[in-house]
């Protein structure tokens, strides 16, 4: 099993839709979790950290399920500008070395 | 805002050359990282450093070395460039253990 797995997509959704991505991780000792956004030919940018209790930032909600070892990202009211690749990041349990998933591609169309 | 600056956005070098990629961060971060990103393979960690003069191998260190003489600067060195090192190289830094990373703009390196 890969350390961090994501469905590569693409997820093709209309504007205004709600879309959710999951990311599974294999190391139960992992302690920190993040979602990044990467636009084509650009660097990854931090979208949000993921906290145990779940957290929300505007239209974006992140959740952590430690029992099933996955994190999720929910995007409500999708905008054209949300089109990007979404990377989940999990630190290697007990260390500060992050492991990146390969990303999920989102395409929002008019 | 955190600023991570990579010395070049685009670079073209020849096979066998020694290539230096520089990265500077302005937030006094302890940790610095070098990745390469290739289509379909995601980000792969080459080397990282958690303190001045300290370095650790990542997942794909072969053909690379690094230098961290000052806290703010982390250099990636391709000892003898080869065509399979053509890639996007990304530098990142973070404050400590469980803090998120901040990335530079990336360097698109082509080895001819």
């Amino acid at each position: 099993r890969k350390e961090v797995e994501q469905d590569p997509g693409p997820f093709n959704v209309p504007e205004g839709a709600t879309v959710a991505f999951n990311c599974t991780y294999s190391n139960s000792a992992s302690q920190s979790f993040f979602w990044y956004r990467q636009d084509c030919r650009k660097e990854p940018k931090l979208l949000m950290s993921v906290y145990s209790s779940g957290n929300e930032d505007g239209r974006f909600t992140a959740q952590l399920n430690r029992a099933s070892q996955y994190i999720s990202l929910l995007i409500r009211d999708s905008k054209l500008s949300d089109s990007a690749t979404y990377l989940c990041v999990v630190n290697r349990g007990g260390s500060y070395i992050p492991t990146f998933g390969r990303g999920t591609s989102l395409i929002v169309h008019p | 805002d955190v600023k991570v600056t990579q010395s070049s956005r685009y670079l073209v070098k020849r096979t066998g050359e020694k290539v230096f990629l520089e990265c500077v961060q302005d937030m006094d971060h302890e940790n610095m990282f070098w990745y390469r990103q290739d289509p379909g393979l995601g980000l792969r960690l080459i080397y990282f450093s958690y303190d001045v003069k300290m370095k650790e191998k990542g997942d794909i260190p072969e053909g690379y070395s690094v230098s961290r003489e000052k806290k703010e600067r982390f250099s990636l060195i391709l000892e003898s460039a080869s065509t399979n090192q053509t890639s996007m190289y990304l530098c990142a830094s973070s404050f400590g253990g469980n803090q998120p990373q901040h990335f530079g703009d990336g360097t698109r390196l082509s080895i001819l």
Side-chain angles (χ1 to χ4, degrees):
Chain A
R1 182 180 176 186
K2 290 181 186 170
E3 284 190 68
V4 178
E5 288 198 72
Q6 295 183 252
D7 180 344
F11 285 63
N12 208 318
V13 303
E15 272 186 290
T18 295
V19 61
F21 313 132
N22 282 346
C23 167
T24 59
Y25 60 95
S26 59
N27 191 328
S28 59
S30 298
Q31 295 177 8
S32 57
F33 309 87
F34 308 98
W35 283 103
Y36 281 72
R37 171 200 168 116
Q38 186 172 26
D39 294 295
C40 189
R41 301 178 73 82
K42 297 288 186 88
E43 78 277 18
K45 292 187 178 176
L46 178 67
L47 181 64
M48 57 198 304
S49 302
V50 185
Y51 302 119
S52 297
S53 54
N55 48 298
E56 191 173 302
D57 182 2
R59 297 182 293 109
F60 299 85
T61 301
Q63 298 274 359
L64 166 63
N65 185 317
R66 285 194 184 273
S68 300
Q69 292 182 207
Y70 73 88
I71 63 172
S72 63
L73 178 68
L74 181 79
I75 306 175
R76 288 181 298 279
D77 189 24
S78 299
K79 312 290 185 192
L80 296 176
S81 57
D82 293 334
S83 297
T85 297
Y86 291 83
L87 305 170
C88 83
V89 182
V90 177
N91 81 326
R92 295 179 194 177
S95 78
Y96 41 72
I97 306 170
T99 301
F100 282 77
R102 294 188 181 183
T104 297
S105 174
L106 172 66
I107 301 169
V108 181
H109 59 82
Chain B
D1 263 2
V2 176
K3 186 69 176 171
V4 180
T5 303
Q6 293 186 228
S7 51
S8 305
R9 291 296 301 274
Y10 300 93
L11 205 54
V12 180
K13 296 291 182 180
R14 296 210 172 273
T15 304
E17 280 192 70
K18 192 168 185 175
V19 180
F20 294 85
L21 303 183
E22 306 286 344
C23 175
V24 177
Q25 49 94 4
D26 67 356
M27 283 301 291
D28 204 35
H29 284 172
E30 281 89 11
N31 302 330
M32 296 189 75
F33 306 80
W34 275 106
Y35 294 89
R36 64 178 282 177
Q37 187 173 29
D38 302 285
L41 296 179
L43 272 82
R44 292 183 290 167
L45 182 63
I46 304 171
Y47 268 97
F48 66 99
S49 167
Y50 52 88
D51 202 351
V52 176
K53 297 193 186 294
M54 305 300 286
K55 59 185 179 184
E56 295 285 344
K57 292 180 180 179
D59 300 315
I60 52 163
E62 297 78 20
Y64 303 94
S65 63
V66 290
S67 171
R68 194 166 180 200
E69 296 296 318
K70 293 185 178 182
K71 191 174 186 179
E72 67 271 18
R73 185 181 296 269
F74 192 34
S75 303
L76 179 70
I77 303 148
L78 285 65
E79 298 290 343
S80 177
S82 64
T83 54
N84 63 11
Q85 292 178 310
T86 291
S87 186
M88 166 78 130
Y89 288 87
L90 289 156
C91 174
S93 70
S94 69
F95 209 178
N98 290 328
Q99 299 304 307
Q101 294 177 309
H102 298 269
F103 284 84
D105 291 345
T107 296
R108 290 201 170 271
L109 175 64
S110 295
I111 308 295
L112 305 178

